[in-house]
Amino acid sequence: MKSRAFKDNLSGYAFISPFIIGFTAFTVVPMLISLYLSFTNYDLFTTPKWIGLANYKEMFFGDEKFWKSLSVTFYYVLAGVPLRLMFALFVAMLLNQSRKGIGIYRVLFYLPSIIGGSVAVAIMWRNIFGNDGVINALLFFMGIDKKILWYQDPTSALWTLILLAVWQFGSSMLIFLAGLKNIPPTFYEAASVDGASAAHKFFKITLPLLSPIIFFNLVMQTISAFMTFTPAYIISKGEGGPLDGTLLYPLYLFQKAFNFFQMGYASAMAWVMLIIVGLTTLILFKTSSLWVYYESKED
Amino acid sequence: MIEPNIEKKSKRLKPKKFLFHIVTSAIALIMLYPVIWLIVSSFKESSSIFVTAHSLIPEKFIWTNYADGWKGIAGQSFGTFIKNSLIIVGLSTIGAVVSSSLIAYGFARIQFKGKSFWFACMMVTMMLPHEVLMIPQYIIFAKIGWINSFKPIIVPQFFGHAFFIFLIVQFIRTIPVELDEAARIDGCGRFSIFFRIILPLITPALATSAIFSFYWKWEDLINPVLYLNKAELYPVSLALKLFLDTESASNWGAMFAMSVVSLVPVILVFFLFQKYIVEGISTSGLK
């Protein structure tokens, strides 16, 4: 007679076996290959040649584009993520009221986020900010006669990508909304009795109680912002231009791997990215104790 | 709750209510303006789209943009691209949801040695930048001759998707264990407990996973770019990119028309399932 524990082990592994197989085949083995390739020179067609740390040396000391793409990515993350979260919080607070039609507003605000990742939206965005696009047409309509050549200037080109990210604030907004609904209304009532102003309530009640949710959104959005690829790829037609102004790191990595077939170099870039994302997440977690307020659960 | 109170107040404070609707509608309009612009442009004459970019009313409706666009590109009609997308999205979604729900049940309900280790592995997978896996996976799939087939895109989905597993695990944890115990006393094995008791109860989590699998696969560009080099295999996303690349023909109307077509399933699913989507987001932080 086999024991229940033995049977549990057996059936547990039976149920999760697809994960173990997939994890090994599509994550562990590729990661080991990637780590090995990062120390080689490999063009996909000849055998990889071991070159030690040469890829990493080249990256840090010889490749200006690497630093450029890194700074573009940090600019994109540092400008885009906070703007997106602030806008999301603002709209969530606007929608956290019981009024007629609130459900419709919620749906309308969320729609751009759901269609946001698609090629169609990137194409649309490219044309909206084009030289003859609707933004310039509207500016002309308002009496501003000077056309802004959004895609001629590296900074404004990057800002079109940032604005695209801000426009898709919907998912953060929904999470904020769920968090706001969890703040007991009695807190606000008590503050009102004490004569607190709206700003006071926001900084003393809403922000602290919402800080765990803000933290969650911040981590999730930062990680995904580091990995942004499709809009930059479509809007700059895979070039990352002008003057590498929209050359986000994943796009540069893609170019190295699949346009120039420098698989070893691109693998090294991927590992640097892994470390940057890991470190950023770690820093966010470490600093969170300074500003994230966790309510001690007493009930 | 404070709601009835607010209701009463808002009836008295009419201007405040008015202001709320003005501000919220204004933001909603800004949010939707680009989408409306895209749809309107798809009915304009190609030559006039950018001349009349500020106007949301076409001088006359050009339906032929849709017919032109549907003819497709590189000798393939747009119908082919949609068919390809449906095959990829359909099979991927079935694979991801079926495997993820089995794995999630194992994690949520069975005590076995090494469980926390495997669970941690799964959580790490969720955080991993896919750039790290992209190159070696490409090499592996190229070596086993899977280039120019849907296999590299679909097959990995049959081994569980970390985010969906996590989502379903969280959901199963809200179901009382007593249900499992009762079924066990009645002589049910693990699999029939999963199949008869758990599966019907987790449909909201399965629906959320299926919807997001649909979205992610429908808009996925990088995998088709890597693995599909024949126009007859292109899904919608890659076909649109091809449209954009060959824009020298400057048939903008057709391109915008097909952009709209590519968004129709996405928007349709959104309005049909928005309850699940909204709940799925606010509980799990997907998307």
Side-chain angles (χ1 to χ4, degrees), chain B residues 170-220:
Chain B
Q170 295 297 87
F171 200 87
I172 294 177
R173 283 185 180 153
T174 64
I175 299 169
V177 193
E178 286 76 21
L179 279 178
D180 295 40
E181 298 297 334
R184 183 191 279 278
I185 291 164
D186 288 348
C188 274
R190 285 286 181 192
F191 191 74
S192 55
I193 293 176
F194 167 75
F195 212 70
R196 290 193 205 165
I197 313 285
I198 300 293
L199 209 52
L201 291 173
I202 60 172
T203 40
L206 299 183
T208 307
S209 305
I211 291 163
F212 279 100
S213 171
F214 168 85
Y215 280 136
W216 292 340
K217 282 293 160 188
W218 187 267
E219 69 190 23
D220 178 25

Side-chain angles (χ1 to χ4, degrees), chain A residues 11-290:
Chain A
S11 54
Y13 275 94
F15 272 98
I16 72 158
S17 59
F19 172 73
I20 296 178
I21 296 166
F23 179 69
T24 312
F26 302 119
T27 305
V28 176
V29 170
M31 278 185 84
L32 293 174
I33 294 175
S34 166
L35 188 61
Y36 166 71
L37 286 179
S38 78
F39 298 110
T40 66
N41 204 342
Y42 183 47
D43 62 4
L44 203 60
F45 308 108
T46 51
T47 42
K49 207 175 96 213
W50 183 268
I51 52 168
L53 287 169
N55 282 329
Y56 292 93
K57 266 192 201 140
E58 165 69 12
M59 204 186 304
F60 290 124
F61 303 109
D63 187 354
E64 275 174 37
K65 264 194 158 187
F66 163 80
W67 290 106
K68 178 70 186 173
S69 72
L70 213 53
S71 77
V72 166
T73 307
F74 271 99
Y75 192 112
Y76 175 80
V77 173
L78 289 175
V81 174
L83 270 180
R84 178 167 162 156
L85 291 186
M86 279 190 276
F87 201 47
L89 181 57
F90 172 74
V91 174
M93 289 178 64
L94 204 61
L95 294 187
N96 186 33
Q97 312 181 39
S98 63
R99 285 183 197 274
K100 253 193 199 146
I102 213 99
I104 297 168
Y105 285 128
R106 197 175 62 172
V107 167
L108 292 184
F109 287 142
Y110 187 56
L111 185 68
S113 305
I114 214 81
I115 63 173
S118 47
V119 175
V121 167
I123 290 177
M124 167 192 89
W125 209 257
R126 185 186 159 80
N127 290 299
I128 280 178
F129 284 94
N131 293 349
D132 297 320
V134 66
I135 300 288
N136 278 338
L138 284 174
L139 289 176
F140 181 75
F141 221 61
M142 293 188 301
I144 299 164
D145 211 1
K146 204 172 148 278
K147 271 184 184 172
I148 298 177
L149 305 177
W150 293 93
Y151 295 114
Q152 249 84 321
D153 174 15
T155 313
S156 62
L158 184 59
W159 270 96
T160 64
L161 285 180
I162 294 170
L163 286 175
L164 178 59
V166 175
W167 183 61
Q168 296 157 9
F169 66 83
S171 63
S172 316
M173 175 202 67
L174 289 178
I175 300 168
F176 278 139
L177 200 56
L180 287 171
K181 290 208 185 301
N182 278 332
I183 300 178
T186 48
F187 286 22
Y188 294 106
E189 284 163 13
S192 296
V193 171
D194 292 342
S197 66
H200 204 81
K201 284 187 215 167
F202 177 72
F203 286 110
K204 295 288 174 189
I205 301 175
T206 312
L207 272 191
L209 289 181
L210 209 58
S211 58
I213 310 264
I214 297 174
F215 176 66
F216 173 80
N217 270 339
L218 184 65
V219 172
M220 299 299 289
Q221 298 300 331
T222 305
I223 292 176
S224 72
F226 269 116
M227 298 181 214
T228 307
F229 173 78
T230 303
Y233 183 66
I234 294 290
I235 288 174
S236 76
K237 297 205 178 157
E239 308 270 326
L243 297 173
D244 301 330
T246 58
L247 188 68
L248 292 180
Y249 196 87
L251 179 55
Y252 185 43
L253 194 159
F254 179 89
Q255 288 181 351
K256 279 287 182 193
F258 299 102
N259 296 350
F260 304 118
F261 296 107
Q262 299 180 14
M263 294 290 175
Y265 192 79
S267 298
M269 279 187 71
W271 276 86
V272 169
M273 181 179 184
L274 181 72
I275 291 163
I276 290 174
V277 172
L279 274 180
T280 310
T281 316
L282 194 72
I283 291 169
L284 286 177
F285 268 94
K286 287 282 177 204
T287 52
S288 70
S289 60
L290 298 174

Side-chain angles (χ1 to χ4, degrees), chain B:
Chain B
M1 286 306 282
I2 197 170
E3 262 105 30
N5 206 353
I6 289 178
E7 208 75 64
K8 232 186 278 163
K9 258 191 197 158
S10 69
K11 257 177 205 142
R12 258 186 286 129
L13 295 168
K14 273 271 160 66
K16 214 175 167 186
K17 187 178 169 185
F18 189 65
L19 188 71
F20 166 81
H21 282 288
I22 293 284
V23 172
T24 323
S25 311
I27 300 176
L29 187 70
I30 297 172
M31 292 298 291
L32 293 180
Y33 190 90
V35 186
I36 299 168
W37 183 84
L38 175 71
I39 296 169
V40 170
S41 297
S42 74
F43 291 109
K44 287 182 177 175
E45 226 165 339
S46 290
S47 57
S48 77
I49 287 176
F50 293 108
V51 184
T52 60
H54 58 277
S55 158
L56 280 187
I57 304 152
E59 281 163 7
K60 56 179 186 213
F61 278 89
I62 310 281
W63 290 95
T64 49
N65 284 336
Y66 282 83
D68 278 355
W70 193 264
K71 281 188 207 137
I73 200 161
Q76 303 297 323
S77 103
F78 213 78
T80 311
F81 304 135
I82 291 192
K83 190 195 80 195
N84 291 335
S85 270
L86 289 176
I87 294 171
I88 292 173
V89 170
L91 290 176
S92 298
T93 300
I94 292 170
V97 173
V98 169
S99 58
S100 298
S101 61
L102 281 166
I103 297 163
Y105 177 77
F107 277 132
R109 280 293 203 257
I110 306 172
Q111 296 307 321
F112 56 90
K113 262 195 200 128
K115 178 165 118 169
S116 48
F117 168 77
W118 291 112
F119 197 76
C121 288
M122 189 200 74
M123 297 301 285
V124 170
T125 329
M126 256 182 341
M127 301 279 216
L128 206 63
H130 61 92
E131 278 75 15
V132 185
L133 308 174
M134 183 173 78
I135 294 165
Q137 281 186 358
Y138 178 83
I139 295 168
I140 294 170
F141 290 136
K143 286 258 193 291
I144 56 177
W146 280 11
I147 304 287
N148 279 324
S149 79
F150 297 154
K151 280 183 260 178
I153 308 175
I154 296 171
V155 172
Q157 301 298 314
F158 277 78
F159 296 91
H161 187 289
F163 225 124
F164 301 153
I165 299 172
F166 180 67
L167 187 88
I168 302 169
V169 165
Q170 295 297 87
F171 200 87
I172 294 177
R173 283 185 180 153
T174 64
I175 299 169
V177 193
E178 286 76 21
L179 279 178
D180 295 40
E181 298 297 334
R184 183 191 279 278
I185 291 164
D186 288 348
C188 274
R190 285 286 181 192
F191 191 74
S192 55
I193 293 176
F194 167 75
F195 212 70
R196 290 193 205 165
I197 313 285
I198 300 293
L199 209 52
L201 291 173
I202 60 172
T203 40
L206 299 183
T208 307
S209 305
I211 291 163
F212 279 100
S213 171
F214 168 85
Y215 280 136
W216 292 340
K217 282 293 160 188
W218 187 267
E219 69 190 23
D220 178 25
L221 179 67
I222 193 156
N223 285 309
V225 164
L226 289 182
Y227 297 114
L228 306 173
N229 307 317
K230 288 185 192 151
E232 73 241 42
L233 297 173
Y234 280 8
V236 171
S237 57
L238 191 48
L240 278 179
K241 190 199 163 276
L242 195 64
F243 255 98
L244 183 71
D245 289 346
T246 50
E247 81 187 84
S248 51
S250 76
N251 197 352
W252 293 105
M255 193 176 80
F256 286 137
M258 289 309 103
S259 298
V260 172
V261 168
S262 82
L263 290 180
V264 167
V266 176
I267 293 176
L268 208 65
V269 167
F270 177 66
F271 281 107
L272 285 177
F273 299 104
Q274 55 113 342
K275 196 178 135 256
Y276 283 131
I277 296 171
V278 167
E279 273 170 21
I281 300 273
S282 44
T283 52
S284 69
L286 283 161
K287 195 78 194 173

